[in-house]
Amino acid sequence: MGMDVYGNEPTAEVGAYFRRNVWGWHPLWEMCEDLFPAIAGQVECGHTNDGDGLDADLSADLAKGLTEALADGRIAAWIAQRNAAVAAMPMESCRICDGTGIRTDDTGRKMGQQDKALTKEQAIILGREFGWCNGCDGDGEKAPWAASYEVCPSDATEFSDFLNACGGFVIC
């Protein structure tokens, strides 16, 4: 699933359409909300594809803010802070195998995961020779859900370029 962002009255091709999958959109919009709350706060449903958005003036204001924040390092600092917070989150118990490292549900049994032979390296690390889970690579725990979401400065650059030429936008 992704967020398709359409320009209302694009003045250039770059302002007609902007897309990010959910893994990239959510942290990008969170960045906008955190760094520019007066502007991004005008969008009630920024994390859904319900057709909310900004008018041309506010889109231009957000583009200007993103450009300035890229130049002065606020975006890099926001990303670094977010990445550090995510990295500091504890691992989570795997819901697919209930933290055992061996998937034994119907799907796991059909895939032969409960009897899957492990590599020598896996066996040393996991302390067993058989049984695996595709959700956690047999470890029983995995990175928190937040680690699935990523944003980088180029996302802000592309979004700013879109905002400069979109004439307002809707998130669909």
Side-chain angles (χ1 to χ4, degrees):
M1 182 177 161
M3 299 302 194
D4 298 307
V5 187
Y6 293 96
N8 294 337
E9 294 182 29
T11 59
E13 186 175 338
V14 70
Y17 180 72
F18 178 86
R19 184 183 196 290
R20 283 295 178 274
N21 62 31
V22 294
W23 311 111
W25 175 257
H26 291 306
L28 176 60
W29 192 251
E30 286 170 8
M31 178 194 312
C32 293
E33 290 171 324
D34 287 350
L35 296 177
F36 313 102
I39 301 170
Q42 301 290 318
V43 181
E44 290 181 30
C45 300
H47 291 281
T48 67
N49 49 10
D50 293 335
D52 205 351
L54 293 174
D55 65 22
D57 290 338
L58 288 172
S59 294
D61 291 345
L62 184 55
K64 182 180 180 205
L66 286 169
T67 300
E68 290 172 357
L70 280 159
D72 66 22
R74 282 181 288 153
I75 286 181
W78 188 92
I79 291 170
Q81 181 180 8
R82 181 195 178 279
N83 289 348
V86 170
M89 291 177 174
M91 296 290 279
E92 296 177 349
S93 180
C94 179
R95 291 180 284 155
I96 295 174
C97 67
D98 294 324
T100 66
I102 303 171
R103 186 169 183 177
T104 58
D105 64 355
D106 287 341
T107 302
R109 285 193 302 276
K110 287 177 186 173
M111 297 170 69
Q113 290 189 13
Q114 76 281 1
D115 298 320
K116 181 179 177 178
L118 302 176
T119 66
K120 186 182 284 187
E121 294 81 13
Q122 287 174 313
I124 291 169
I125 292 168
L126 299 173
R128 64 177 187 273
E129 295 179 11
F130 296 93
W132 186 73
C133 173
N134 61 310
C136 62
D137 200 26
D139 192 41
E141 59 183 19
K142 58 185 188 163
W145 196 250
S148 301
Y149 296 86
E150 295 182 321
V151 66
C152 62
S154 65
D155 295 317
T157 300
E158 288 178 41
F159 192 44
S160 178
D161 291 344
F162 164 80
L163 292 167
N164 266 322
C166 71
F169 68 87
V170 294
I171 306 164
C172 299

